[in-house]
Amino acid sequence: MKIAIVAETAPVKTIIPIIENINAKIISLTHDIGSYQLLEPYSEKIQPIGQGRKGQTKRSNFTIARLVLQDTLRTMNALKKQEDIDLVLTCGNAGDARKGILTSKLLHIPCLHIEQDIYNPTEMLAFANLITVPNKQHEKIIKKNYGIKNTINIKGYPQAKYVSQAILEPEEEVFKQYNTNDFYVLVLGGDTKTKDIKSIIREVEQLNKTILIIPFRFNPEYVRQFIRKENIFIITEFVDLLSLMRASQGVIYSAGMGITIEVGALNIPAIKILGFHKKHASIDLARSLGINVINIHQLTEAINIMKPTNGKQLIQNGDKASKKVAEIITNFQLFNGKNGGITSMKKIWDERKQYR
């Protein structure tokens, strides 16, 4: 079997435990250094497709469409060079998942998409041949909200399995690298509004603690302009985020499923700041793990009652889910279900308008 993986860094952490359970040749297509490094040990070949886009400006629908088509052409050209691709495997709701699903549709290659947040999926979800969801409730919601029926419940998050088996840097090495053993990590992820970054910085400044900021999708210089205190630092280079979070006193994040799963599986104290997604599967999961979900102005109070999560069940379910997806991949008759098509894509597009 020959599988093409199209994914960014966070989704790759979901995919790795799955491909470890199958016998297949892996061709990886990605745009960022993080996923490149993670997938390299498993891949026969890695192809670049486009580039990441950090910034603080809102793009028009025309610009979004142009960029998607541009990168889809790159993805198509990369896949056409490969022979006999049996399956395209995607995960997440960002650019690479979009390119992967659309390319598989255009090239008539079956696509399996691993969906972890059914409240905010990519529009291209409507064209995947088969979609996995983490629980029964999500299976019902995706059918009700988007009319998508070609789903299968894998009863967990494979990424939790990845976190549980990751080889982490000793805490002492992390302390040396960042010259401190008493710090908090602030992650500005995909649930962060650009206009709220200044407010978030102002709130963490009031904590009078050393804060290491991971800006993710934002230009570091844009974030840096709001910092007024010397105990707040931006990490601009590629970072071993799991090791950094494990060594910290706790994690403050305005991000989605990936970080929620990671802090849960690491059993570390965490606070999730509500972002622009008022309904999000990561909010449900965070609360089930005992993570405080707060408005930014509640941060000073919330940080004093942070407590470690209990991710034992999360990891056990993640292990079972990884094996379940591996089983699905080897059982191609499951890919015969009809996808949602244009009608479902329109429903997802309309739902996502509120976040643009």
Side-chain angles (χ1 to χ4, degrees):
M1 177 177 281
K2 202 170 185 180
I3 298 174
I5 294 173
V6 189
E8 301 178 24
T9 301
V12 162
K13 296 174 185 177
T14 291
I15 290 172
I16 285 175
I18 295 164
I19 60 177
E20 287 179 336
N21 282 293
I22 57 179
N23 181 19
K25 291 182 178 180
I26 304 296
I27 306 297
S28 297
L29 299 92
T30 187
H31 78 260
D32 70 73
I33 185 65
S35 54
Y36 183 100
Q37 292 177 346
L38 290 170
L39 285 168
E40 189 174 23
Y42 303 93
S43 303
E44 186 178 86
K45 185 180 291 185
I46 301 181
Q47 296 270 55
I49 47 166
Q51 59 185 1
R53 299 182 182 94
K54 291 187 178 184
Q56 54 277 351
T57 57
K58 182 178 177 181
R59 296 187 180 96
S60 67
N61 289 340
F62 174 80
T63 300
I64 292 170
R66 178 177 58 80
L67 293 172
V68 169
L69 288 174
Q70 192 178 71
D71 285 351
T72 298
L73 284 174
R74 290 193 182 99
T75 309
M76 285 184 66
N77 290 334
L79 271 184
K80 281 180 178 177
K81 294 176 183 176
Q82 312 305 319
E83 293 183 1
D84 305 321
I85 298 291
D86 297 298
L87 176 70
V88 172
L89 184 57
T90 61
C91 178
N93 67 352
D96 283 3
R98 188 180 283 124
K99 302 168 203 171
I101 297 171
L102 181 55
T103 297
S104 71
K105 175 71 174 174
L106 294 172
L107 295 180
H108 306 289
I109 303 171
C111 176
L112 173 61
H113 180 77
I114 303 162
E115 186 53 59
Q116 298 189 131
D117 177 32
I118 45 75
Y119 293 115
N120 186 37
T122 171
E123 301 88 350
M124 290 300 113
L125 183 75
F127 298 105
N129 295 84
L130 187 65
I131 301 152
T132 73
V133 292
N135 56 54
K136 193 171 183 179
Q137 180 189 9
H138 285 195
E139 197 169 24
K140 290 178 180 178
I141 292 172
I142 207 168
K143 181 179 178 180
K144 179 182 176 182
N145 289 5
Y146 313 126
I148 291 175
K149 302 175 185 178
N150 55 326
T151 61
I152 188 163
N153 176 16
I154 59 172
K155 302 179 181 179
Y157 300 92
Q159 186 177 348
K161 173 63 176 176
Y162 172 86
V163 176
S164 73
Q165 64 187 12
I167 299 172
L168 304 183
E169 286 286 322
E171 291 187 7
E172 294 74 17
E173 293 300 315
V174 177
F175 297 156
K176 269 188 210 176
Q177 182 177 355
Y178 296 101
N179 200 31
T180 178
N181 64 357
D182 184 11
F183 62 91
Y184 289 79
V185 174
L186 170 63
V187 180
L188 301 174
D191 202 25
T192 310
K193 288 182 181 178
T194 303
K195 69 182 182 64
D196 288 340
I197 289 179
K198 182 177 179 179
S199 297
I200 293 172
I201 299 299
R202 291 292 171 266
E203 290 297 323
V204 297
E205 284 178 338
Q206 292 183 42
L207 300 177
N208 290 319
K209 299 179 184 295
T210 299
I211 308 290
L212 304 183
I213 300 176
I214 312 299
F216 269 171
R217 298 178 185 276
F218 295 93
N219 186 315
E221 295 308 313
Y222 177 77
V223 179
R224 198 187 309 277
Q225 68 180 311
F226 301 116
I227 297 174
R228 302 178 303 185
K229 293 196 174 181
E230 294 182 353
N231 60 335
I232 299 179
F233 306 91
I234 297 180
I235 300 177
T236 56
E237 70 274 11
F238 176 70
V239 63
D240 179 354
L241 185 56
L242 291 178
S243 296
L244 182 67
M245 293 193 300
R246 199 269 304 266
S248 73
Q249 297 298 310
V251 177
I252 305 160
Y253 69 100
S254 181
M257 288 305 306
I259 299 296
T260 303
I261 293 168
E262 288 174 359
V263 295
L266 288 171
N267 299 320
I268 55 177
I271 296 170
K272 177 174 171 58
I273 300 170
L274 281 171
F276 56 79
H277 295 114
K278 301 308 176 188
K279 288 172 62 178
H280 202 284
S282 65
I283 296 173
D284 302 337
L285 180 61
R287 287 176 173 150
S288 74
L289 292 168
I291 297 170
N292 271 342
V293 181
I294 65 166
N295 292 312
I296 182 57
H297 300 298
Q298 299 171 305
L299 181 57
T300 305
E301 178 184 347
I303 203 164
N304 293 320
I305 56 172
M306 291 175 80
K307 59 183 180 181
T309 58
N310 182 3
K312 184 177 179 181
Q313 192 64 50
L314 185 71
I315 292 168
Q316 289 175 352
N317 291 344
D319 183 31
K320 292 174 185 177
S322 303
K323 292 172 182 173
K324 178 66 176 176
V325 180
E327 182 184 324
I328 291 167
I329 288 172
T330 59
N331 193 1
F332 262 64
Q333 60 262 38
L334 290 174
F335 286 74
N336 294 330
K338 184 179 179 181
N339 62 38
I342 296 291
T343 301
S344 294
M345 183 182 77
K346 177 69 165 55
K347 289 179 179 179
I348 299 172
W349 179 269
D350 289 343
E351 182 74 15
R352 286 172 64 100
K353 278 182 182 177
Q354 62 186 303
Y355 305 129
R356 293 193 178 95

